[in-house]
Amino acid sequence: MKKIITISREYGAGGHSIGKKVAEILGVPFYDRDIVRETVKASGFDPELIENESEEISRSDSLWKNLASFSGAYYKDTQSAIRDVQAAVILRFAQEGPCVILGRCADEVLREADIDSVNVFIHADDVHRAMRLSALTGSTDATELKKMMEKKDAARHNYYQRYTGKKWGDSHNYHLTLDSGALGDEACVRLIVAAAQDAE
Amino acid sequence: MKKIITISREYGAGGHSIGKKVAEILGVPFYDRDIVRETVKASGFDPELIENESEEISRSDSLWKNLASFSGAYYKDTQSAIRDVQAAVILRFAQEGPCVILGRCADEVLREADIDSVNVFIHADDVHRAMRLSALTGSTDATELKKMMEKKDAARHNYYQRYTGKKWGDSHNYHLTLDSGALGDEACVRLIVAAAQDAE
């Protein structure tokens, strides 16, 4: 049974709660922002810098280029260094045993290290995502909800593209992709658990 | 239970046999090239023209443009007409009850008609596909196998793009995408059946 599962997800598609439930059912650890905190502990980098690096700093190419041009080689090297430490943390988690890892290009980190995993991408249409985010944030402002989704999706898209050279959300990069809006969260949980149990 | 299932698939990824098994398990009809034959019967178009239209004629944009320029408006109108007849046949199948429909942009036809379906895309890495095609065709010529895959994939890609305006294989266009190479055919069958039974 391949019980290392990586989950990439669109903002508001429920990837966090789906991943958490999968981990509970399989009885394995669930890693999300913990990875960042682990990275901080392991690396000695400035915690604030690492928090920023994660997704926000790579939000847009123009922002990235501006930062790079202002700060010269410093940011570039720091980014690479942070990425290496983050990958090391992900690999340590994977080597400790079965688990569910959310985001952070964990799929690519494990693929490069030739460690078997079931790589999942969860997406949903804008209406399902907006309703979920509205319930989470309390906002009922459609324009604000749309902006939240666009901003976070662009950040994740760029982060994945920068670190893997591949297209975030392209089915070829995952073993399983799921539309949580059409299928529902519970079905997604069941399908991921089934895929993990099916995989040799 | 949403038992209308559409399957798009890369050449050599096993979509045909996986779809057939899913239909057997659910006890519903399985439609593949039959759709084309039905189209022929229903439309009175030249059978050879319709066979060609399906995927091969839209293999490359340049081929398409050449044909269009040689034959003027004739091909363009014929293509649109064939597409409409094909869509009508797919809709009739769907209205007759639960079924599995392979290819032919059935996902888009049903989406446009607002008919619920579980839309699946099946892909696999080149090595798994080559081995499957080698077993099917008897060819052990790697170059030939690669060419087969590229040609058929390009045809399907262009066909889907032309008729839907969307990107073939982009996870957002499907409720479920599966890597049959990594997961195995039997797991794919089980996951599609589970998704169909889960869907309301």
Side-chain angles (χ1 to χ4, degrees):
Chain A
M1 194 196 296
K2 246 186 233 164
K3 271 203 280 186
I4 299 177
I5 298 167
T6 72
I7 297 182
S8 305
R9 74 290 179 217
E10 288 183 339
Y11 190 55
H16 191 280
S17 66
I18 290 169
K20 207 158 177 246
K21 244 179 225 162
V22 167
E24 280 166 19
I25 291 171
L26 294 175
V28 302
F30 174 67
Y31 299 117
D32 52 359
R33 303 290 287 186
D34 292 349
I35 289 181
V36 178
R37 277 191 289 273
E38 282 289 325
T39 310
V40 176
K41 276 191 225 159
S43 66
F45 279 111
D46 174 359
E48 203 180 321
L49 187 66
I50 290 172
E51 277 291 335
N52 285 341
E53 185 274 347
S54 308
E55 285 177 352
E56 295 305 327
I57 214 169
S58 55
R59 193 165 63 227
S60 75
D61 275 335
S62 59
L63 172 63
W64 170 251
K65 275 174 201 150
N66 284 339
L67 279 172
S69 71
F70 282 137
S71 52
Y74 171 70
Y75 265 97
K76 208 161 191 172
D77 290 344
T78 308
Q79 291 264 335
S80 304
I82 292 172
R83 198 210 158 178
D84 286 350
V85 176
Q86 202 162 268
V89 173
I90 289 169
L91 289 174
R92 210 191 62 209
F93 286 148
Q95 278 152 0
E96 278 173 5
C99 58
V100 176
I101 309 176
L102 198 73
R104 316 280 138 181
C105 303
D107 54 328
E108 185 72 4
V109 171
L110 298 179
R111 194 157 32 221
E112 277 176 5
D114 208 18
I115 294 175
D116 275 347
S117 59
V118 176
N119 301 324
V120 181
F121 179 74
I122 299 174
H123 59 96
D125 58 276
D126 284 357
V127 178
H128 274 95
R129 293 162 69 202
M131 293 313 293
R132 188 191 302 266
L133 290 173
S134 175
L136 275 175
T137 62
S139 168
T140 54
D141 180 335
T143 305
E144 189 187 26
L145 289 167
K146 266 183 81 70
K147 271 194 188 150
M148 270 194 241
M149 292 192 285
E150 281 163 12
K151 192 178 141 179
K152 279 279 195 181
D153 283 350
R156 289 176 185 178
H157 182 279
N158 290 335
Y159 186 75
Y160 193 81
Q161 175 99 34
R162 186 181 319 285
Y163 281 168
T164 70
K166 295 174 184 168
K167 201 171 157 6
W168 188 66
D170 180 337
S171 65
H172 295 87
N173 302 332
Y174 310 93
H175 301 125
L176 182 66
T177 78
L178 297 161
D179 179 338
S180 66
L183 298 170
D185 286 15
E186 287 183 19
C188 290
V189 170
R190 277 194 289 273
L191 290 167
I192 297 168
V193 168
Q197 289 174 332
D198 251 322
E200 276 151 35
Chain B
M1 196 196 298
K2 244 186 234 165
K3 270 203 282 187
I4 299 176
I5 298 167
T6 72
I7 297 182
S8 305
R9 74 291 178 216
E10 287 183 341
Y11 190 56
H16 191 279
S17 66
I18 290 169
K20 206 157 177 247
K21 244 178 227 164
V22 167
E24 279 166 20
I25 290 171
L26 294 175
V28 303
F30 174 67
Y31 300 117
D32 52 359
R33 303 290 289 188
D34 292 347
I35 289 182
V36 177
R37 278 191 288 272
E38 282 288 326
T39 310
V40 176
K41 277 191 224 158
S43 66
F45 280 110
D46 174 1
E48 202 180 321
L49 187 65
I50 289 173
E51 278 291 336
N52 285 341
E53 185 274 344
S54 309
E55 285 177 352
E56 296 304 327
I57 214 170
S58 54
R59 193 166 63 230
S60 74
D61 275 335
S62 59
L63 173 63
W64 170 251
K65 275 175 201 149
N66 283 340
L67 279 171
S69 70
F70 281 137
S71 52
Y74 172 70
Y75 265 96
K76 206 160 194 176
D77 289 344
T78 308
Q79 291 263 337
S80 304
I82 291 171
R83 198 212 158 178
D84 286 350
V85 176
Q86 200 162 271
V89 173
I90 289 169
L91 288 175
R92 210 191 62 209
F93 286 148
Q95 277 152 359
E96 276 173 6
C99 58
V100 176
I101 309 175
L102 198 73
R104 315 281 139 183
C105 304
D107 55 327
E108 184 73 2
V109 171
L110 298 179
R111 194 157 32 221
E112 276 177 5
D114 208 17
I115 294 175
D116 276 347
S117 60
V118 175
N119 301 324
V120 181
F121 179 75
I122 299 174
H123 60 95
D125 58 277
D126 285 358
V127 178
H128 274 95
R129 294 162 67 201
M131 294 314 293
R132 189 190 301 265
L133 289 172
S134 176
L136 276 174
T137 62
S139 168
T140 54
D141 180 335
T143 305
E144 189 186 27
L145 290 168
K146 265 183 81 72
K147 271 195 188 150
M148 269 194 237
M149 291 192 284
E150 280 164 13
K151 193 177 140 178
K152 278 278 194 179
D153 283 348
R156 289 175 186 178
H157 182 279
N158 290 335
Y159 186 74
Y160 193 81
Q161 174 101 36
R162 186 181 318 286
Y163 280 168
T164 70
K166 294 172 185 169
K167 200 169 158 8
W168 188 65
D170 180 337
S171 65
H172 294 88
N173 302 332
Y174 310 94
H175 300 125
L176 182 66
T177 79
L178 296 162
D179 179 338
S180 66
L183 298 170
D185 286 16
E186 288 182 19
C188 290
V189 170
R190 278 194 290 272
L191 290 168
I192 297 169
V193 168
Q197 289 173 334
D198 251 322
E200 277 150 32

